């Protein structure tokens, strides 16, 4: 403010200084020897213009300063209002939380009173006896309450918070402990699986024993009539297994919303014992799996690890054995969370090394980002190494009996798959600055064009089968007229209308009848009903994670 006043005083003194300058200029002109071209009027106009310009700018600066001060005042007012609103919300939240706590305590007290009355030996006829029994039950810990009453307490104070809005049928299935009906309901609503999955944890709260319900749903995971080697060909069984995994995951979600005491009551020792028995039954079956054939997407290994993580029984199994199962589920999106739940985070560098050595560079990059190991395992180096491996030719064992053209097609297909996987990985982890995708996109388009050109050339060179005649005899030989006593008309009739037995013969087509159905309809007609339409078995390596 003082600086502004000093500037204003200096600007006011300009008039007197201009007058002094005029006198000095007049005196100079009186002593001049020659006539000056510069006139005083011009100088005076110049100085007055400078004075007006300075005053105008000074006025603008003052206005901007006032506007800035007004904005500061408004901002302070807004901040104070927001602070008051936050404080008000905090107080209301605390009040609501306190009310819920009071309701929970009241519900537990009511449940304890209901529990004590059937076990009462003496008649509760007097006030003294009732008070004595109440004090007895209040002195006992919450672990004394059976599992069923604990679940009733949970439902009584959580039903007002969480509701199953879209699929109320889930509540009845869980209340009835109907695991088979739950499987069927999920299969029937497979088109809206995401919405069903969100409501299952809330529906499980209404079950008498959610943990037992989930364990009951695991029946049939290993059917006795299906061989382990043939399991991945059964679409219904694959769907059932995916549903089992999803239900265990939903139970884990439910457990994260409960307090520690409720979790210990829900996953009791008897439940853990049953889960251990199932895990010990499943463990030897994992040794019979073909690790290479699963390609990091083993449902069996995933279900086993999810069973240990959900019910907290991983300490009963050898950690080294669990560590060896991680590469079998490296493609699945839940792998990182499973490793953290099972306490295998420190072993991740070794897992990533195993994946790289087995050619699963994409899975290695995903786990490196999940566990913040990108400094030790460079994602760009891993992706480039993966593309280099894909550009190499097929192995001698695979290409020994194949023609050079077939071998080259295999290499091109392998490169196409690798390029798509690398581009998706770069986009998922935002690595465009470190590894530009434009050259990869151009290479991808080039390979797809070459593949399409080769396919068109093969279709043109392929001989087309002859069409059958209108009389459905195809290109079969005519029936010779061997009867010597037939007249001319009879012979002509025999040639034009062959005997009936010719029509009874099956016709031979140049290729299998499956070729007469468009290839893009094949999978639609081959899928079985039930889970098969929902859980398919085909997958490509470029998919980063799979459910």
């Amino acid at each position: 403010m003082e600086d502004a006043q000093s500037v204003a005083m200096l600007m006011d003194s300009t008039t007197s200084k201009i007058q002094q300058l005029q006198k000095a200029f007049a005196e100079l002109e009186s002593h001049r020897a020659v006539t000056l071209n510069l006139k005083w009027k011009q100088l005076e106009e110049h100085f007055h213009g400078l004075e007006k310009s300075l005053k105008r700018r000074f006025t603008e600066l003052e206005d901007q300063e006032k506007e800035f001060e007004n904005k500061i005042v408004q901002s302070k007012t807004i901040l104070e209002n927001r602070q008051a609103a936050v404080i008000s919300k905090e107080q209301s939240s605390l009040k609501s939380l306190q009310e819920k706590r009071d309701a929970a305590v009241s519900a537990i007290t009511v449940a304890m009173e209901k529990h004590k009355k059937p076990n009462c030996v003496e008649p509760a006829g007097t006030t003294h006896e009732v008070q004595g029994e109440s004090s007895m039950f209040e002195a006992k810990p919450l672990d004394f309450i059976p599992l069923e009453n604990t679940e009733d307490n949970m439902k009584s104070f959580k039903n007002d918070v969480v509701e199953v809005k879209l699929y109320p049928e889930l509540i009845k299935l869980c209340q009835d402990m109907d695991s088979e009906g739950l499987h069927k309901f999920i299969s029937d609503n497979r088109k809206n699986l995401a919405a069903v999955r969100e409501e299952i944890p809330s529906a499980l709260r209404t079950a008498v024993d959610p943990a037992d319900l989930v364990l009951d749903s695991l029946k049939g995971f290993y059917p006795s009539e299906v061989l382990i080697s043939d399991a991945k060909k059964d679409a219904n069984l694959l769907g059932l297994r995916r549903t089992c995994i999803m239900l265990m995951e939903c139970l884990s979600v439910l457990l994260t919303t409960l307090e520690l005491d409720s979790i210990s009551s829900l996953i009791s020792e008897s439940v853990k014992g049953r889960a251990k028995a199932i895990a010990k039954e499943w463990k030897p079956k994992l040794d019979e799996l073909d690790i290479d054939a699963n390609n990091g997407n083993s449902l069996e290994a995933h279900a086993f690890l999810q069973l240990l993580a959900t019910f907290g029984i991983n300490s009963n199994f050898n950690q080294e054995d669990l560590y060896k199962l991680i590469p079998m589920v490296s493609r699945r999106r839940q792998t990182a969370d499973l490793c953290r739940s099972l306490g295998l985070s420190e072993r991740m560098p070794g897992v990533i090394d195993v994946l790289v050595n087995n050619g699963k560079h994409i899975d290695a990059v995903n786990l490196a980002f999940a566990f913040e190991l990108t400094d030790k395992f460079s994602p760009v180096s891993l992706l480039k190494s993966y593309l280099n491996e894909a550009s190499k030719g097929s192995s001698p064992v695979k290409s020994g009996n194949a023609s050079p053209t077939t071998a080259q097609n295999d290499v091109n297909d392998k490169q196409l798959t690798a390029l798509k996987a690398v581009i998706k990985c770069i986009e998922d982890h935002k690595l465009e600055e470190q590894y530009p995708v434009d050259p990869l996109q151009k290479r991808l388009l080039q390979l797809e064009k070459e593949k399409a050109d080769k396919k068109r050339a093969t279709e043109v060179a392929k001989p087309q089968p002859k069409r059958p005649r209108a009389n459905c005899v195809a290109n079969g030989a005519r029936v010779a007229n061997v009867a010597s006593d037939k007249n001319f008309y009879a012979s002509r009739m025999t040639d034009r209308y062959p005997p009936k037995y010719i029509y009874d013969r099956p016709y031979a087509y140049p290729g299998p009848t499956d070729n007469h159905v468009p290839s893009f309809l094949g999978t639609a007609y081959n899928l079985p009903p039930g889970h098969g339409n929902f859980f398919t078995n085909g997958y490509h390596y470029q998919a980063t994670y799979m459910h």
Side-chain angles (χ1 to χ4, degrees), residues 512-531:
T513 56
D514 293 341
N515 293 337
H516 295 275
V517 180
S519 59
F520 62 85
L521 294 177
T523 56
Y525 287 99
N526 291 334
L527 285 175
H531 283 286

Side-chain angles (χ1 to χ4, degrees), residues 167 185-196 533-535:
Y167 301 98
F185 179 84
I186 294 173
S187 175
D188 294 341
N189 293 273
R190 55 188 174 273
K191 293 183 179 179
N192 302 318
L193 183 62
V196 174
N533 294 333
F534 163 42
F535 300 109

Side-chain angles (χ1 to χ4, degrees), residues 31-68:
H31 295 288
R32 64 184 171 83
V34 293
T35 303
L36 294 175
N37 294 327
L38 186 63
K39 299 296 182 180
W40 166 248
K41 190 168 184 64
Q42 296 176 353
L43 288 174
E44 187 178 14
E45 291 177 354
H46 174 69
F47 283 113
H48 281 301
L50 289 176
E51 182 182 7
K52 291 180 180 178
S53 176
L54 288 173
K55 287 183 178 180
R56 178 173 53 80
R57 293 183 180 180
F58 182 73
T59 305
E60 291 177 354
L61 287 174
E62 284 184 335
D63 293 340
Q64 291 179 0
E65 184 178 4
K66 291 180 181 179
E67 184 180 357
F68 181 72

Side-chain angles (χ1 to χ4, degrees), residues 181-448:
L182 196 57
H183 269 280
K184 185 178 184 303
F185 179 84
I186 294 173
S187 175
D188 294 341
N189 293 273
R190 55 188 174 273
K191 293 183 179 179
N192 302 318
L193 183 62
V196 174
R197 183 189 183 97
E198 290 181 359
E199 296 200 344
I200 289 178
S202 301
L204 286 176
R205 286 178 177 161
T206 63
V208 176
D209 192 339
D212 268 345
L213 176 60
V214 172
L215 290 177
D216 289 340
S217 70
L218 303 181
K219 295 177 181 178
F221 193 91
Y222 284 102
S224 57
E225 65 274 7
V226 178
L227 297 177
I228 295 180
S229 58
D230 297 334
K232 59 184 177 181
K233 301 176 184 178
D234 190 340
N236 289 327
L237 180 58
L238 292 175
L240 183 144
R241 288 178 173 178
R242 287 185 173 92
T243 302
C244 292
I245 294 174
M246 186 181 71
L247 290 174
M248 287 191 287
E249 292 173 350
C250 291
L251 180 61
S252 298
V253 173
L254 172 61
L255 295 177
T256 58
T257 63
L258 303 180
E259 297 180 357
L260 185 60
D261 293 339
S262 300
I263 295 174
S264 60
S265 300
L266 185 64
I267 309 296
S268 60
E269 291 301 324
S270 60
V271 170
K272 286 187 177 181
R274 186 180 172 191
K276 290 176 189 176
I278 296 175
K280 289 180 180 179
E281 181 184 354
W282 286 3
K283 182 64 173 64
K285 300 180 185 297
L286 298 178
D287 300 333
E288 304 177 26
L289 295 176
D290 185 359
I291 298 178
D292 295 332
N294 284 283
N295 199 20
N297 189 38
S298 172
L299 290 175
E300 296 87 347
H302 184 186
F304 177 77
L305 295 175
Q306 188 66 55
L307 178 65
L308 303 188
T310 300
F311 293 91
I313 55 175
N314 54 299
S315 59
N316 298 94
F317 294 85
N318 189 355
Q319 292 292 99
E320 191 67 25
D321 294 339
L322 303 183
Y323 164 75
K324 293 179 181 179
L325 294 176
I326 300 302
M328 298 176 65
V329 296
S330 58
R331 282 186 58 205
R332 305 190 68 78
R333 61 177 176 82
Q334 304 94 332
T335 302
D337 293 334
L338 279 176
C339 293
R340 295 188 185 98
S341 301
L342 296 172
L344 299 175
S345 300
E346 296 180 357
R347 307 291 298 271
M348 281 303 106
V351 173
I352 295 175
D353 285 330
V354 172
L355 294 175
V356 173
N357 294 333
N358 292 335
K360 299 178 181 178
H361 298 71
I362 304 296
D363 299 344
V365 172
N366 292 329
L367 288 179
F369 273 100
F371 291 93
E372 299 180 355
L373 296 173
T374 53
D375 295 338
K376 185 175 181 180
F377 300 94
S378 172
V380 176
S381 300
L382 291 176
L383 295 177
K384 290 182 178 180
S385 175
Y386 178 55
L387 289 179
N388 291 334
E389 291 292 333
S391 62
K392 296 179 181 179
S394 303
S395 61
V397 177
K398 183 178 179 180
S399 61
N401 299 327
S403 63
T405 304
T406 304
Q408 184 61 36
N409 290 339
D410 292 340
V411 174
N412 291 343
D413 292 341
K414 188 177 179 182
Q415 290 185 33
L416 277 172
T417 303
L419 282 170
K420 292 177 182 178
V422 170
I423 292 173
K424 187 177 187 304
C425 186
I426 292 173
E427 293 174 349
D428 289 343
H429 299 293
K430 297 178 174 55
L431 297 172
E432 289 86 350
E433 294 183 0
Q434 305 175 35
Y435 197 175
V437 297
D438 290 340
L440 302 178
Q441 293 281 10
K442 292 179 181 178
R443 178 58 179 163
L444 179 64
L445 294 175
Q446 180 185 355
L447 289 175
E448 288 180 342

Side-chain angles (χ1 to χ4, degrees), residues 463-514:
Q464 298 295 329
K466 294 183 179 180
R467 294 183 178 180
R469 293 183 179 179
N471 57 6
C472 301
V473 187
N475 294 323
R478 286 181 176 272
V479 179
N481 183 16
V482 296
S484 58
D485 56 342
K486 293 184 182 286
N487 56 22
F488 172 77
Y489 294 99
S491 64
R492 295 293 294 174
M493 291 295 291
T494 305
D495 287 340
R496 293 184 61 184
Y497 303 96
K500 183 178 182 300
Y501 70 87
I502 295 181
Y503 295 99
D504 295 334
R505 295 173 59 189
Y507 301 112
Y509 288 95
T513 56
D514 293 341

